[in-house]
Amino acid sequence: DGGITQSPKYLFRKEGQNVTLSCEQNLNHDAMYWYRQDPGQGLRLIYYSQIVNDFQKGDIAEGYSVSREKKESFPLTVTSAQKNPTAFYLCASRFQETQYFGPGTRLLVL
Amino acid sequence: GDSVTQMEGPVTLSEEAFLTINCTYTATGYPSLFWYVQYPGEGLQLLLKATKADDKGSNKGFEATYRKETTSFHLEKGSVQVSDSAVYFCALSDEAGGTSYGKLTFGQGTILTVHP
């Protein structure tokens, strides 16, 4: 069953803590993306990767980091430098012109 | 830069009513256009798309036509159901390849509520 999985569904972060959100796909797509969604707003691009071992900053990369060591995986780390991390985070992969999304991770601050 | 503007919501309709959600865009080149739907607590699902001018995307009774002359991609459905209640996002993708990277630019979303 092909698709994109994100884990965990909910994540809690304490002050000063780094947390990592998982994104895995078995669609054999080269390009992957991370978006942030805030209430009542559209999605904003955090980072993207067009190929393994390569990634670029999107529109709101400050306070975030990523890695792309495997084609299937594109984890996002929310660092302590991100002062307002509470949001819904969505991962996507792209085939031709279309992006396909995972179910999302909701990050909350304790 | 690229931008997408959706009609302001929320939109509330009775079952079997006609739906239109307006979407206009600003972009250079020849973007692809999309409608995504998001149900509460879930990720985005692709509803339909169009990749060139005058193309019509359709799925599950929803339709949208890529109008380059009016830079629009309005979403329509002839008879909505309660199960259509969700948030709808219009988006455009710049051309992937070369210096582009297939970035999606989203509208702010339109909340649709359908009552029985």
Side-chain angles (χ1 to χ4, degrees):
Chain A
D1 207 13
I4 302 171
T5 57
Q6 291 187 243
S7 62
K9 188 174 176 67
Y10 295 95
L11 186 58
F12 298 91
R13 193 190 91 163
K14 296 180 181 178
E15 288 286 335
Q17 186 181 40
N18 293 353
V19 293
T20 297
L21 286 62
S22 169
C23 177
E24 304 277 333
Q25 55 101 357
N26 61 3
L27 301 168
N28 201 34
H29 293 169
D30 286 316
M32 297 185 74
Y33 304 78
W34 274 105
Y35 293 89
R36 170 180 171 138
Q37 185 179 23
D38 292 285
Q41 298 187 32
L43 280 67
R44 293 181 291 168
L45 181 66
I46 304 173
Y47 266 97
Y48 65 99
S49 169
Q50 296 196 83
I51 200 166
V52 174
N53 292 322
D54 184 58
F55 50 83
Q56 283 79 39
K57 294 181 179 179
D59 300 319
I60 55 164
E62 186 174 350
Y64 301 97
S65 66
V66 294
S67 63
R68 186 85 186 277
E69 298 175 0
K70 298 187 300 181
K71 188 175 188 177
E72 303 79 22
S73 178
F74 190 40
L76 173 74
T77 296
V78 184
T79 74
S80 57
Q82 174 48 246
K83 297 307 179 188
N84 184 24
T86 298
F88 191 48
Y89 290 86
L90 288 157
C91 177
S93 66
R94 177 170 58 82
F95 176 70
Q96 296 181 342
E97 71 283 336
T98 303
Q99 290 189 26
Y100 300 91
F101 286 82
T105 292
R106 188 166 298 282
L107 177 60
L108 301 165
V109 177
L110 293 175
Chain B
D2 296 346
S3 67
V4 175
T5 302
Q6 287 183 233
M7 66 183 288
E8 293 187 12
V11 175
T12 303
L13 296 172
S14 297
E15 206 165 26
E16 299 183 3
F18 184 84
L19 168 71
T20 299
I21 301 177
N22 289 339
C23 172
T24 56
Y25 68 90
T26 302
T28 56
Y30 302 95
S32 295
L33 301 174
F34 305 84
W35 278 100
Y36 285 89
V37 59
Q38 184 177 36
Y39 298 100
E42 297 184 9
L44 273 65
Q45 298 177 25
L46 177 67
L47 182 59
L48 54 84
K49 67 180 181 183
T51 58
K52 60 183 187 296
D54 300 324
D55 268 2
K56 177 186 283 188
S58 61
N59 185 28
K60 299 180 182 179
F62 291 90
E63 294 183 339
T65 301
Y66 188 161
R67 302 284 189 201
K68 193 165 177 64
E69 64 276 12
T70 54
T71 61
S72 65
F73 193 56
H74 305 320
L75 182 68
E76 296 182 336
K77 187 175 186 183
S79 176
V80 294
Q81 305 300 311
V82 172
S83 58
D84 294 328
S85 298
V87 182
Y88 292 81
F89 291 94
C90 184
L92 70 81
S93 175
D94 63 1
E95 297 172 69
T99 57
S100 298
Y101 52 89
K103 173 188 173 182
L104 277 177
T105 300
F106 287 88
Q108 73 273 29
T110 300
I111 300 172
L112 171 66
T113 303
V114 180
H115 293 297

